[in-house]
Amino acid sequence: EVQLVESGGGLVQPGRSLRLSCAASGFTFDDYAMHWVRQAPGKGLEWVSGISWNSGSIGYADSVKGRFTISRDNAKNSLYLQMNSLRAEDTALYYCAKLEVGAHTFDYWGQGTLVTVSS
Amino acid sequence: DIVMTQSPDSLAVSLGERATINCKSSQSVLYSSNNKNYLAWYQQKPGQPPKLLIYWASTRESGVPDRFSGSGSGTDFTLTISSLQAEDVAVYYCQQYYSTPLMYTFGQGTKLEIK
């Protein structure tokens, strides 16, 4: 059974940093691209960032480019999101999602970890 | 940037009736290399992560009931629920993929309720 478990969220002041983690199991992690998608409270879904199986291809939404860094450790079956210079508008539930590469869809999602940016 | 616009924002349909949700992309999501539309539909119930329903615009994900269907090509797409069930109450999102630059965009969501 595929499982994605996010961690690392919490309350953080504007301008500070936070690192999210996603622990994957139930599939061959290093065969798949992985992504972060966020959802602000009461709002819709926003793609944040994605990384290919070998970290050779990485992409970011314009809203986080230059502030967030995605990475992965295939030996640990883990995905990360380093978030710097956090803003109030980064407040959201952050989901880790597995990419189904053929159709470029997100076929498995974690339950999310909540990041709140507030003074 | 590609913008995905869903209509309506909310919809109330009687049980057993048809529900139709539209999604319009600001650019074509049809890839001529393989004639595939990179358009997906997701269902999100309260307190849950999204669930993939449809990919390549019209292919149902394994386990998705056949009352859910997708259609369209290029820039205009539709999700249809042929006979609404109580468990279909949710927010529905369309999503596109763009290769260069790497980008995935969701529509704003359509809230489906029972009339």
Side-chain angles (χ1 to χ4, degrees):
Chain A
E1 178 194 5
V2 172
Q3 284 199 321
L4 300 170
V5 180
E6 303 92 339
S7 61
L11 174 63
V12 61
Q13 293 179 329
R16 304 297 292 266
S17 300
L18 208 58
R19 189 194 196 206
L20 305 184
S21 299
C22 171
S25 62
F27 65 104
T28 306
F29 183 72
D30 53 12
D31 277 350
Y32 293 92
M34 298 294 296
H35 290 249
W36 291 98
V37 177
R38 68 184 180 184
Q39 186 168 35
K43 302 297 184 182
L45 302 169
E46 180 187 16
W47 174 76
V48 173
S49 181
I51 185 168
S52 63
W53 65 276
N54 64 351
S55 305
S57 177
I58 288 175
Y60 298 97
D62 287 344
S63 58
V64 306
K65 203 171 292 182
R67 299 187 300 122
F68 290 11
T69 302
I70 192 171
S71 62
R72 64 189 295 161
D73 185 335
N74 287 344
K76 295 183 177 179
N77 286 354
S78 292
L79 175 72
Y80 306 101
L81 187 68
Q82 177 67 42
M83 304 186 296
N84 298 333
S85 303
L86 282 162
R87 305 167 179 168
E89 54 264 36
D90 296 319
T91 294
L93 186 63
Y94 284 73
Y95 292 105
C96 165
K98 171 182 168 290
L99 186 74
E100 196 295 306
V101 67
H104 283 275
T105 55
F106 305 110
D107 57 351
Y108 289 93
W109 301 64
Q111 291 297 314
T113 187
L114 182 62
V115 173
T116 303
V117 183
S118 175
S119 55
Chain B
D1 289 1
I2 295 180
V3 177
M4 308 297 288
T5 304
Q6 292 181 226
S7 61
D9 289 334
S10 63
L11 180 63
V13 175
S14 301
L15 289 172
E17 295 299 306
R18 178 185 301 260
T20 301
I21 298 170
N22 300 300
C23 176
K24 186 175 184 67
S25 174
S26 61
Q27 295 183 34
S28 175
V29 300
L30 175 63
Y31 279 69
S32 56
S33 58
N34 59 3
N35 203 36
K36 298 284 191 187
N37 286 282
Y38 284 84
L39 189 286
W41 289 97
Y42 299 82
Q43 174 193 65
Q44 187 179 31
K45 297 181 179 180
Q48 296 184 18
K51 173 188 174 184
L52 176 64
L53 298 176
I54 303 279
Y55 60 94
W56 284 333
S58 61
T59 302
R60 262 189 310 277
E61 177 74 339
S62 175
V64 172
D66 60 7
R67 63 180 180 273
F68 290 91
S69 64
S71 63
S73 184
T75 61
D76 293 279
F77 300 89
T78 300
L79 174 69
T80 301
I81 307 172
S82 60
S83 177
L84 189 70
Q85 306 298 302
E87 61 265 32
D88 300 334
V89 169
V91 179
Y92 292 84
Y93 296 93
C94 60
Q95 171 247 314
Q96 69 79 32
Y97 153 72
Y98 192 76
S99 62
T100 307
L102 181 63
M103 187 182 305
Y104 297 79
T105 309
F106 291 91
Q108 82 275 17
T110 295
K111 186 175 185 179
L112 177 59
E113 299 173 311
I114 304 294
K115 184 186 292 182

